[in-house]
Amino acid sequence: MYTPKMSSRLAVEALGTFWLVFIGCGSAIFNAKFAVQALDGQPVQLGIGHLGVAIAFGLAVTTMAYAVGHVSGAHFNPAVTIGIAIAQRFEWREVPAYVGAQLVGGLLAGGALAGLVSSKGLPTTGNLAANGYGSHSPGGFGLGGVLVVEALVTAFFVYIILGATKDDAPKGFAPLAIGFGLLLAHLVAIPISNASINPARSTAVAFFNGNGAVGQLWAFWVAPIIGGLIAGTTYAWITGERRENLDISGSTDTISNAAVDDQGRPILDD
């Protein structure tokens, strides 16, 4: 097995992050609350609510992890990339490129969602499922509570990723565990911060949303990254298992799509 070309890995990181933002934030924007008129003229709420949005985020990462996770490792999240790098499961020199690709994919999805909202003649300001604290928190939670919860749920999310991608974990089930982990994290975090757990997801909609989201964006970089760092530095200590040789960076048996070294030889992924 070989390490895939960096161009392919970055392309699928952008693609996966686009899907995550488009499906997750799109569900929150268009379908969290959806009222229709019944035959008797009374409004009926058909929206999916917080549970539905959490499921959407979880399924988005699960489906894309199955689709392209073998190419890039399916990070789709700067906090995940940094967390697994600190755990020595990913090369630090590749972190900036992965984070850049995730931001590009997320911003493209944010722009698409903003375009859809605008196409209905609706204002995008304050209507794009941005993350926030204080008056911008769905439940009115302050900065301190938001920082703690975002760091905590992100740490556990990265713990799940590090554990589910071990060589002795059940084969083929890692995307399910990761998707369910993200779903559960959203169930707690949506009422508190609108659930970031992912700086690329927050950045993707903040600049289109406005309404104070850009000024609060720093919190949704700092807290998830701290969570990722906590998980990455403590996983081996907690579990007693060192798995530095198991990179979460993709693998391919297609030699034409393999990265090559300075001598033009395909690079083995081990």
Side-chain angles (χ1 to χ4, degrees):
M1 301 294 283
Y2 306 100
T3 299
K5 292 178 181 178
M6 180 57 81
S7 59
S8 296
R9 294 160 65 193
L10 297 183
V12 300
E13 279 296 305
L15 183 71
T17 309
F18 182 100
W19 182 247
L20 176 66
V21 172
F22 190 78
I23 294 299
C25 292
S27 296
I29 294 167
F30 300 115
N31 208 16
K33 295 181 179 179
F34 193 87
V36 298
Q37 192 175 57
L39 292 177
D40 61 1
Q42 297 299 312
V44 177
Q45 179 59 254
L46 298 180
I48 59 177
H50 288 176
L51 175 59
V53 173
I55 292 172
F57 272 101
L59 289 179
V61 75
T62 297
T63 52
M64 198 54 70
Y66 273 122
V68 298
H70 62 286
V71 179
S72 70
H75 300 188
F76 313 146
N77 182 338
V80 169
T81 299
I82 292 170
I84 64 176
I86 200 73
Q88 301 180 51
R89 301 276 297 276
F90 188 72
E91 295 286 345
W92 276 108
R93 59 185 173 82
E94 297 178 349
V95 168
Y98 263 55
V99 172
Q102 293 155 3
L103 288 174
V104 169
L107 286 167
L108 288 173
L113 292 171
L116 285 171
V117 172
S118 297
S119 73
K120 291 285 291 181
L122 302 172
T124 58
T125 302
N127 292 321
L128 288 180
N131 303 113
Y133 54 84
S135 61
H136 300 293
S137 159
F141 288 83
L143 174 60
V146 165
L147 291 174
V148 169
V149 169
E150 285 287 336
L152 187 62
V153 295
T154 306
F156 274 90
F157 182 52
V158 176
Y159 282 136
I160 292 168
I161 292 170
L162 291 170
T165 52
K166 298 190 307 175
D167 60 348
D168 57 353
K171 300 299 182 184
F173 285 91
L176 286 176
I178 293 166
F180 277 119
L182 189 62
L183 187 163
L184 293 171
H186 274 76
L187 290 179
V188 174
I190 286 175
I192 295 169
S193 61
N194 229 11
S196 170
I197 317 165
N198 184 339
R201 169 264 189 268
S202 299
T203 304
V205 295
F207 292 95
F208 300 101
N209 183 87
N211 193 36
V214 176
Q216 295 189 351
L217 182 60
W218 67 270
F220 302 100
W221 275 85
V222 171
I225 287 175
I226 288 175
L229 291 173
I230 290 170
T233 55
T234 62
Y235 179 81
W237 173 69
I238 291 171
T239 64
E241 298 177 335
R242 305 195 66 86
R243 304 284 181 169
E244 290 86 349
N245 62 314
L246 295 174
D247 288 345
I248 307 175
S249 57
S251 181
T252 182
D253 58 5
T254 305
I255 195 168
S256 62
N257 196 39
V260 296
D261 59 20
D262 294 337
Q263 284 74 45
R265 296 171 300 192
I267 300 173
L268 294 172
D269 62 6
D270 57 0

